[in-house]
Protein backbone atom coordinates (compact mmCIF):
# COMPACT_ATOMS: atom_id res chain seq x y z
CA UNK A 1 0.00 0.00 0.00
CA UNK A 2 2.88 2.36 0.85
CA UNK A 3 4.49 1.78 -2.54
CA UNK A 4 1.19 2.49 -4.30
CA UNK A 5 0.89 5.79 -2.41
CA UNK A 6 4.47 6.79 -3.27
CA UNK A 7 3.90 5.86 -6.92
CA UNK A 8 0.68 7.88 -7.07
CA UNK A 9 2.32 10.90 -5.45
CA UNK A 10 5.16 10.65 -7.97
CA UNK A 11 2.67 10.56 -10.85
CA UNK A 12 0.96 13.64 -9.39
CA UNK A 13 4.27 15.53 -9.25
CA UNK A 14 5.05 14.55 -12.84
CA UNK A 15 1.59 15.71 -13.98
CA UNK A 16 2.05 19.04 -12.23
CA UNK A 17 5.47 19.60 -13.82
CA UNK A 18 4.19 18.55 -17.24
CA UNK A 19 1.18 20.87 -17.02
CA UNK A 20 3.36 23.81 -16.03
CA UNK A 21 5.82 23.09 -18.83
CA UNK A 22 2.99 22.83 -21.34
CA UNK A 23 1.52 26.13 -20.13
CA UNK A 24 4.91 27.81 -20.50
CA UNK A 25 5.12 26.63 -24.11
CA UNK A 26 1.63 27.27 -25.45
CA UNK A 27 0.08 29.97 -23.24
CA UNK A 28 -0.29 33.53 -24.40
CA UNK A 29 2.53 35.55 -22.81
CA UNK A 30 -0.06 37.94 -21.38
CA UNK A 31 -1.82 35.14 -19.47
CA UNK A 32 1.17 32.90 -18.74
CA UNK A 33 1.53 34.08 -15.14
CA UNK A 34 -2.19 33.44 -14.61
CA UNK A 35 -2.05 29.85 -15.84
CA UNK A 36 1.14 29.08 -13.93
CA UNK A 37 -0.30 30.51 -10.70
CA UNK A 38 -3.46 28.43 -11.17
CA UNK A 39 -1.53 25.22 -11.82
CA UNK A 40 0.70 25.84 -8.81
CA UNK A 41 -2.28 26.61 -6.57
CA UNK A 42 -4.17 23.47 -7.65
CA UNK A 43 -1.58 20.70 -7.56
CA UNK A 44 -2.31 16.97 -7.27
CA UNK A 45 -0.90 16.76 -3.74
CA UNK A 46 -3.75 15.71 -1.36
CA UNK A 47 -1.79 16.81 1.70
CA UNK A 48 -1.15 20.48 0.96
CA UNK A 49 -3.68 23.31 0.56
CA UNK A 50 -3.30 26.01 -2.10
CA UNK A 51 -0.23 28.12 -1.41
CA UNK A 52 -1.28 31.62 -0.20
CA UNK A 53 1.26 33.22 -2.54
CA UNK A 54 -0.29 31.62 -5.62
CA UNK A 55 -3.80 32.45 -4.39
CA UNK A 56 -2.75 36.08 -3.96
CA UNK A 57 -1.41 36.08 -7.53
CA UNK A 58 -4.73 34.76 -8.85
CA UNK A 59 -6.69 37.34 -6.85
CA UNK A 60 -4.47 40.11 -8.20
CA UNK A 61 -5.95 39.59 -11.66
CA UNK A 62 -9.16 41.05 -10.28
CA UNK A 63 -7.44 44.44 -10.14
CA UNK A 64 -6.82 44.45 -13.90
CA UNK A 65 -9.35 44.85 -16.68
CA UNK A 66 -12.72 43.10 -16.74
CA UNK A 67 -11.49 40.98 -19.66
CA UNK A 68 -8.52 39.78 -17.60
CA UNK A 69 -10.77 38.98 -14.63
CA UNK A 70 -13.06 37.03 -16.95
CA UNK A 71 -10.10 35.07 -18.30
CA UNK A 72 -9.02 34.21 -14.74
CA UNK A 73 -12.46 32.91 -13.75
CA UNK A 74 -12.76 30.96 -17.03
CA UNK A 75 -9.39 29.32 -16.40
CA UNK A 76 -10.37 28.26 -12.87
CA UNK A 77 -13.72 26.86 -14.00
CA UNK A 78 -12.14 25.05 -16.94
CA UNK A 79 -9.61 23.35 -14.65
CA UNK A 80 -12.38 22.43 -12.23
CA UNK A 81 -14.50 20.85 -14.96
CA UNK A 82 -11.72 18.96 -16.74
CA UNK A 83 -9.90 17.41 -13.76
CA UNK A 84 -10.68 13.94 -12.47
CA UNK A 85 -8.42 14.34 -9.45
CA UNK A 86 -10.17 15.04 -6.13
CA UNK A 87 -7.28 17.08 -4.73
CA UNK A 88 -7.20 19.37 -7.77
CA UNK A 89 -10.98 19.80 -7.69
CA UNK A 90 -11.06 20.74 -3.99
CA UNK A 91 -8.24 23.25 -4.51
CA UNK A 92 -10.14 24.81 -7.43
CA UNK A 93 -13.21 25.14 -5.18
CA UNK A 94 -11.10 26.64 -2.39
CA UNK A 95 -9.84 29.17 -4.95
CA UNK A 96 -13.43 30.02 -5.91
CA UNK A 97 -14.26 30.43 -2.23
CA UNK A 98 -11.35 32.85 -1.78
CA UNK A 99 -12.66 34.91 -4.70
CA UNK A 100 -16.03 35.17 -2.94
CA UNK A 101 -14.40 36.15 0.34
CA UNK A 102 -11.42 38.27 -0.72
CA UNK A 103 -11.71 38.95 -4.44
CA UNK A 104 -12.20 42.37 -5.98
CA UNK A 105 -15.63 43.45 -7.16
CA UNK A 106 -14.72 42.81 -10.81
CA UNK A 107 -13.55 39.27 -10.04
CA UNK A 108 -16.61 38.54 -7.92
CA UNK A 109 -18.85 39.96 -10.61
CA UNK A 110 -17.36 37.61 -13.21
CA UNK A 111 -17.82 34.70 -10.84
CA UNK A 112 -21.43 35.60 -10.13
CA UNK A 113 -22.46 34.95 -13.74
CA UNK A 114 -22.07 31.22 -13.06
CA UNK A 115 -24.84 30.09 -13.59
CA UNK A 116 -27.16 33.08 -13.14
CA UNK A 117 -26.96 34.06 -16.82
CA UNK A 118 -28.60 30.80 -17.86
CA UNK A 119 -25.44 29.21 -19.19
CA UNK A 120 -23.59 26.13 -18.04
CA UNK A 121 -23.40 25.57 -14.29
CA UNK A 122 -19.67 25.08 -13.74
CA UNK A 123 -20.25 24.19 -10.09
CA UNK A 124 -22.40 21.19 -10.94
CA UNK A 125 -20.18 18.30 -9.84
CA UNK A 126 -22.80 15.84 -8.59
CA UNK A 127 -21.25 13.03 -10.66
CA UNK A 128 -17.65 13.65 -9.60
CA UNK A 129 -15.83 10.44 -8.57
CA UNK A 130 -12.14 9.73 -7.95
CA UNK A 131 -11.78 6.10 -6.90
CA UNK A 132 -7.98 5.93 -7.08
CA UNK A 133 -7.60 5.43 -3.32
CA UNK A 134 -9.90 5.30 -0.27
CA UNK A 135 -8.79 8.88 0.52
CA UNK A 136 -9.59 10.26 -2.93
CA UNK A 137 -12.92 8.40 -2.89
CA UNK A 138 -13.84 10.17 0.35
CA UNK A 139 -12.49 13.49 -0.89
CA UNK A 140 -14.83 13.09 -3.86
CA UNK A 141 -17.81 13.35 -1.51
CA UNK A 142 -16.31 16.59 -0.19
CA UNK A 143 -15.95 17.88 -3.77
CA UNK A 144 -19.63 17.20 -4.50
CA UNK A 145 -20.80 18.77 -1.23
CA UNK A 146 -18.46 21.78 -1.45
CA UNK A 147 -19.48 22.62 -5.02
CA UNK A 148 -23.16 22.55 -4.07
CA UNK A 149 -22.42 24.63 -0.99
CA UNK A 150 -20.65 27.32 -3.04
CA UNK A 151 -23.57 27.32 -5.48
CA UNK A 152 -25.92 27.93 -2.52
CA UNK A 153 -23.60 30.65 -1.22
CA UNK A 154 -23.71 32.50 -4.55
CA UNK A 155 -27.49 32.10 -4.75
CA UNK A 156 -27.97 33.45 -1.21
CA UNK A 157 -25.63 36.35 -1.96
CA UNK A 158 -27.72 37.31 -5.01
CA UNK A 159 -30.89 37.35 -2.89
CA UNK A 160 -29.29 39.38 -0.09
CA UNK A 161 -27.79 41.84 -2.59
CA UNK A 162 -24.18 41.45 -1.46
CA UNK A 163 -21.56 38.72 -1.23
CA UNK A 164 -22.13 37.07 2.13
CA UNK A 165 -18.93 36.83 4.22
CA UNK A 166 -16.94 38.91 1.70
CA UNK A 167 -14.35 41.28 3.14
CA UNK A 168 -14.64 43.57 0.12
CA UNK A 169 -18.39 44.06 0.50
CA UNK A 170 -18.79 43.99 4.27
CA UNK A 171 -21.97 45.73 5.32
CA UNK A 172 -22.27 48.08 8.29
CA UNK A 173 -24.60 46.44 10.82
CA UNK A 174 -26.69 49.58 11.38
CA UNK A 175 -27.12 50.10 7.64
CA UNK A 176 -28.02 46.43 7.19
CA UNK A 177 -30.64 46.66 9.94
CA UNK A 178 -32.13 49.75 8.27
CA UNK A 179 -32.26 47.93 4.93
CA UNK A 180 -33.90 44.87 6.48
CA UNK A 181 -36.50 46.98 8.30
CA UNK A 182 -37.59 48.47 4.95
CA UNK A 183 -38.35 45.07 3.40
CA UNK A 184 -41.89 43.82 3.03
CA UNK A 185 -42.73 40.49 4.64
CA UNK A 186 -42.44 38.42 1.46
CA UNK A 187 -38.95 39.78 0.77
CA UNK A 188 -37.87 39.21 4.37
CA UNK A 189 -39.18 35.64 4.24
CA UNK A 190 -37.35 35.05 0.98
CA UNK A 191 -34.08 36.11 2.62
CA UNK A 192 -34.59 34.00 5.75
CA UNK A 193 -35.47 30.99 3.58
CA UNK A 194 -32.38 31.49 1.46
CA UNK A 195 -30.17 31.73 4.55
CA UNK A 196 -31.92 28.59 5.83
CA UNK A 197 -31.04 26.75 2.61
CA UNK A 198 -27.40 27.72 3.10
CA UNK A 199 -27.40 26.56 6.74
CA UNK A 200 -29.01 23.27 5.67
CA UNK A 201 -26.28 22.71 3.10
CA UNK A 202 -23.58 23.38 5.70
CA UNK A 203 -25.21 20.81 7.98
CA UNK A 204 -25.03 18.20 5.21
CA UNK A 205 -21.22 18.20 5.20
CA UNK A 206 -19.79 14.69 4.76
CA UNK A 207 -18.56 12.60 7.66
CA UNK A 208 -14.80 12.16 7.75
CA UNK A 209 -13.20 8.74 8.07
CA UNK A 210 -10.14 8.43 5.83
CA UNK A 211 -10.01 12.21 5.41
CA UNK A 212 -10.18 13.03 9.12
CA UNK A 213 -7.40 15.54 9.81
CA UNK A 214 -6.65 16.01 6.11
CA UNK A 215 -5.35 19.54 5.50
CA UNK A 216 -7.61 20.07 2.49
CA UNK A 217 -10.72 19.15 4.48
CA UNK A 218 -9.54 21.31 7.37
CA UNK A 219 -9.04 24.24 4.98
CA UNK A 220 -12.57 23.81 3.62
CA UNK A 221 -14.08 23.58 7.11
CA UNK A 222 -12.18 26.69 8.17
CA UNK A 223 -13.63 28.73 5.32
CA UNK A 224 -17.15 27.32 5.77
CA UNK A 225 -16.94 27.91 9.52
CA UNK A 226 -16.34 31.62 8.89
CA UNK A 227 -19.31 31.68 6.51
CA UNK A 228 -21.44 30.03 9.19
CA UNK A 229 -20.71 32.89 11.61
CA UNK A 230 -21.61 35.43 8.91
CA UNK A 231 -24.84 33.58 8.13
CA UNK A 232 -25.81 33.38 11.81
CA UNK A 233 -25.26 37.13 12.09
CA UNK A 234 -27.51 37.82 9.08
CA UNK A 235 -30.16 35.46 10.47
CA UNK A 236 -29.99 37.28 13.81
CA UNK A 237 -30.74 40.63 12.15
CA UNK A 238 -33.77 39.20 10.37
CA UNK A 239 -35.07 37.34 13.43
CA UNK A 240 -34.89 40.60 15.40
CA UNK A 241 -36.91 42.31 12.66
CA UNK A 242 -39.55 39.57 12.72
CA UNK A 243 -39.86 40.04 16.49
CA UNK A 244 -40.96 43.60 15.82
CA UNK A 245 -43.56 42.41 13.29
CA UNK A 246 -45.16 39.50 15.15
CA UNK A 247 -48.31 41.42 16.10
CA UNK A 248 -49.04 42.35 12.49
CA UNK A 249 -47.83 39.16 10.78
CA UNK A 250 -50.52 37.42 8.74
CA UNK A 251 -51.32 33.73 9.14
CA UNK A 252 -49.78 32.71 5.80
CA UNK A 253 -46.54 34.53 6.58
CA UNK A 254 -46.57 33.09 10.10
CA UNK A 255 -46.83 29.55 8.74
CA UNK A 256 -43.94 30.10 6.34
CA UNK A 257 -41.80 31.68 9.05
CA UNK A 258 -42.45 28.85 11.51
CA UNK A 259 -41.50 26.31 8.83
CA UNK A 260 -38.28 28.20 8.09
CA UNK A 261 -37.38 28.37 11.79
CA UNK A 262 -38.06 24.66 12.25
CA UNK A 263 -35.75 23.87 9.35
CA UNK A 264 -33.04 25.93 10.99
CA UNK A 265 -33.51 24.21 14.34
CA UNK A 266 -33.15 20.80 12.72
CA UNK A 267 -29.60 21.81 11.68
CA UNK A 268 -28.46 22.95 15.12
CA UNK A 269 -26.98 19.69 16.37
CA UNK A 270 -25.01 19.01 13.18
CA UNK A 271 -23.49 22.48 13.36
CA UNK A 272 -22.48 22.41 17.03
CA UNK A 273 -18.86 21.44 16.30
CA UNK A 274 -18.35 23.59 13.21
CA UNK A 275 -17.08 26.72 14.94
CA UNK A 276 -15.59 27.25 18.37
CA UNK A 277 -15.74 31.04 18.04
CA UNK A 278 -18.49 33.33 19.34
CA UNK A 279 -20.35 30.48 21.03
CA UNK A 280 -22.34 32.86 23.25
CA UNK A 281 -23.55 34.82 20.21
CA UNK A 282 -24.47 31.63 18.35
CA UNK A 283 -26.43 30.22 21.30
CA UNK A 284 -28.22 33.56 21.67
CA UNK A 285 -29.36 33.39 18.03
CA UNK A 286 -30.58 29.82 18.41
CA UNK A 287 -32.48 30.94 21.51
CA UNK A 288 -34.09 33.79 19.56
CA UNK A 289 -35.12 31.38 16.79
CA UNK A 290 -36.84 29.12 19.31
CA UNK A 291 -38.44 32.08 21.07
CA UNK A 292 -39.97 33.55 17.91
CA UNK A 293 -41.19 30.14 16.76
CA UNK A 294 -42.90 29.52 20.13
CA UNK A 295 -44.39 33.02 20.24
CA UNK A 296 -46.02 32.50 16.87
CA UNK A 297 -47.20 28.97 17.72
CA UNK A 298 -48.70 30.07 21.04
CA UNK A 299 -50.39 33.21 19.74
CA UNK A 300 -54.17 33.19 19.91
CA UNK A 301 -54.65 34.39 16.33
CA UNK A 302 -52.34 31.68 14.97
CA UNK A 303 -54.15 28.94 16.88
CA UNK A 304 -57.57 30.20 15.80
CA UNK A 305 -56.64 30.43 12.13
CA UNK A 306 -54.87 27.07 12.24
CA UNK A 307 -57.91 25.47 13.91
CA UNK A 308 -60.30 26.87 11.31
CA UNK A 309 -58.03 25.74 8.49
CA UNK A 310 -57.91 22.21 9.94
CA UNK A 311 -61.70 22.10 10.33
CA UNK A 312 -62.21 23.22 6.74
CA UNK A 313 -59.75 20.59 5.59
CA UNK A 314 -61.68 17.85 7.41
CA UNK A 315 -65.02 19.03 5.96
CA UNK A 316 -63.52 18.91 2.48
CA UNK A 317 -62.33 15.35 3.10
CA UNK A 318 -65.81 14.28 4.24
CA UNK A 319 -67.37 15.95 1.21
CA UNK A 320 -64.93 14.24 -1.14
CA UNK A 321 -65.62 10.88 0.49
CA UNK A 322 -69.36 11.31 -0.01
CA UNK A 323 -68.80 11.98 -3.72
CA UNK A 324 -66.27 9.19 -4.17
CA UNK A 325 -68.48 7.26 -6.63
CA UNK A 326 -68.83 10.33 -8.83
CA UNK A 327 -65.12 11.12 -8.81
CA UNK A 328 -64.20 7.67 -10.14
CA UNK A 329 -65.84 8.50 -13.47
CA UNK A 330 -64.77 12.15 -13.60
CA UNK A 331 -61.67 12.37 -15.80
CA UNK A 332 -60.95 16.07 -15.38
CA UNK A 333 -61.81 16.82 -11.75
CA UNK A 334 -59.71 19.60 -10.22
CA UNK A 335 -57.35 18.96 -7.36
CA UNK A 336 -57.26 22.47 -5.91
CA UNK A 337 -59.38 23.56 -2.94
CA UNK A 338 -60.79 27.06 -2.96
CA UNK A 339 -61.55 28.79 0.34
CA UNK A 340 -64.89 30.55 0.34
CA UNK A 341 -64.26 32.65 3.42
CA UNK A 342 -62.83 36.09 2.72
CA UNK A 343 -60.50 35.52 5.67
CA UNK A 344 -58.76 32.79 3.68
CA UNK A 345 -58.83 34.26 0.18
CA UNK A 346 -55.06 34.62 0.17
CA UNK A 347 -54.74 30.85 0.45
CA UNK A 348 -56.27 30.32 -2.99
CA UNK A 349 -52.95 31.16 -4.63
CA UNK A 350 -50.75 29.84 -1.86
CA UNK A 351 -49.01 26.47 -1.98
CA UNK A 352 -47.83 25.15 1.34
CA UNK A 353 -44.23 23.95 1.40
CA UNK A 354 -43.79 20.19 1.34
CA UNK A 355 -42.28 20.22 4.81
CA UNK A 356 -45.32 21.93 6.38
CA UNK A 357 -47.91 19.47 7.64
CA UNK A 358 -51.31 21.13 7.43
CA UNK A 359 -53.59 18.13 7.89
Amino acid sequence: MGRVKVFRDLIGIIKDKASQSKAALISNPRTLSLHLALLRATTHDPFSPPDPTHLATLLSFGHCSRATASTAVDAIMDRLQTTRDASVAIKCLITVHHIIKRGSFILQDQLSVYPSTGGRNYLKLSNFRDDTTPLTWELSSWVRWYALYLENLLSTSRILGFFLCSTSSSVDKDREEDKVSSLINTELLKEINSLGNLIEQIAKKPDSLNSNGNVLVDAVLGLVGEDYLSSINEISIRISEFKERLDCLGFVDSVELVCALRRLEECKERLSTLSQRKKVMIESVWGSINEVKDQIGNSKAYKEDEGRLLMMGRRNKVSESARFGERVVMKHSGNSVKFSSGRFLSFNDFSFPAYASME
Side-chain angles (χ1 to χ4, degrees):
M1 184 67 182
R3 290 183 177 179
V4 173
K5 178 182 177 300
V6 171
F7 183 65
R8 183 180 183 277
D9 291 345
L10 181 60
I11 291 176
I13 293 173
I14 294 172
K15 284 182 176 180
D16 291 333
K17 294 295 184 182
S19 297
Q20 292 173 33
S21 299
K22 181 180 178 181
L25 290 172
I26 67 173
S27 294
N28 187 315
R30 294 181 179 179
T31 60
L32 176 59
S33 58
L34 163 63
H35 290 290
L36 289 178
L38 176 59
L39 292 171
R40 290 165 180 165
T42 58
T43 63
H44 290 73
D45 184 1
F47 301 103
S48 65
D51 187 286
T53 302
H54 303 315
L55 284 176
T57 301
L58 288 170
L59 293 176
S60 70
F61 289 98
H63 299 289
C64 301
S65 67
R66 187 171 293 274
T68 302
S70 177
T71 300
V73 172
D74 285 342
I76 295 168
M77 293 302 186
D78 183 65
R79 181 143 173 86
L80 175 62
Q81 283 292 314
T82 56
T83 187
R84 294 296 174 263
D85 187 280
S87 302
V88 174
I90 285 186
K91 292 177 185 181
C92 286
L93 293 171
I94 289 175
T95 303
V96 171
H97 205 159
H98 275 280
I99 292 176
I100 297 173
K101 293 179 71 67
R102 299 166 45 212
S104 67
F105 171 77
I106 293 178
L107 205 57
Q108 291 175 339
D109 187 52
Q110 292 302 309
L111 181 63
S112 68
V113 303
Y114 297 93
S116 62
T117 55
R120 181 182 180 186
N121 183 359
Y122 287 84
L123 291 174
K124 185 178 180 181
L125 298 174
S126 56
N127 295 322
F128 186 91
R129 301 288 189 281
D130 180 357
D131 59 359
T132 310
T133 67
L135 174 60
T136 59
W137 179 255
E138 190 166 303
L139 288 178
S140 297
S141 65
W142 283 91
V143 170
R144 296 190 297 272
W145 169 80
Y146 196 20
L148 186 56
Y149 166 74
L150 291 176
E151 190 178 338
N152 272 269
L153 180 58
L154 288 172
S155 175
T156 300
S157 297
R158 291 187 193 106
I159 290 173
L160 296 181
F162 61 91
F163 281 92
L164 185 67
C165 65
S166 170
T167 56
S168 63
S169 61
S170 57
V171 180
D172 180 80
K173 186 175 181 180
D174 291 336
R175 289 177 56 192
E176 178 67 1
E177 289 176 351
D178 290 341
K179 187 210 102 176
V180 168
S181 65
S182 68
L183 298 175
I184 61 175
N185 289 342
T186 53
E187 293 172 339
L188 195 55
L189 284 167
K190 184 178 181 180
E191 291 191 352
I192 202 77
N193 275 314
S194 182
L195 286 163
N197 291 338
L198 187 64
I199 292 293
E200 280 187 320
Q201 184 58 28
I202 295 176
K204 292 176 182 177
K205 64 182 179 64
D207 295 320
S208 298
L209 295 174
N210 295 296
S211 61
N212 189 31
N214 179 271
V215 290
L216 291 180
V217 172
D218 289 345
V220 170
L221 290 177
L223 291 169
V224 174
E226 293 173 0
D227 295 352
Y228 172 55
L229 292 177
S230 298
S231 301
I232 285 291
N233 184 62
E234 294 300 326
I235 289 171
S236 175
I237 293 173
R238 284 150 184 82
I239 292 297
S240 296
E241 179 59 30
F242 271 121
K243 278 185 179 181
E244 301 295 325
R245 303 187 185 190
L246 288 182
D247 292 339
C248 58
L249 206 60
F251 179 59
V252 175
D253 291 338
S254 296
V255 170
E256 187 171 352
L257 179 57
V258 167
C259 291
L261 299 182
R262 284 174 179 168
R263 288 169 55 208
L264 283 169
E265 284 192 322
E266 289 172 359
C267 302
K268 181 181 178 181
E269 186 175 348
R270 287 276 294 172
L271 298 170
S272 59
T273 59
L274 185 61
S275 178
Q276 302 302 314
R277 297 169 51 207
K278 300 184 178 179
K279 282 193 169 184
V280 175
M281 183 272 285
I282 292 174
E283 284 303 317
S284 175
V285 175
W286 286 118
S288 296
I289 290 172
N290 184 66
E291 179 187 349
V292 171
K293 186 197 70 176
D294 288 346
Q295 281 183 333
I296 295 174
N298 294 329
S299 67
K300 183 177 179 181
Y302 182 88
K303 288 181 177 180
E304 288 178 352
D305 284 349
E306 186 178 38
R308 293 178 186 179
L309 184 60
L310 290 172
M311 289 178 64
M312 294 183 72
R314 291 192 185 100
R315 286 200 295 270
N316 280 326
K317 285 186 176 180
V318 171
S319 179
E320 288 176 4
S321 177
R323 297 194 307 270
F324 185 74
E326 297 178 16
R327 292 192 63 172
V328 170
V329 296
M330 291 174 63
K331 296 182 180 179
H332 303 289
S333 60
N335 294 323
S336 60
V337 178
K338 294 288 185 179
F339 293 100
S340 57
S341 172
R343 185 181 181 85
F344 294 99
L345 285 177
S346 59
F347 280 91
N348 288 333
D349 299 314
F350 179 76
S351 297
F352 289 104
Y355 46 76
S357 176
M358 300 303 296
E359 293 184 357

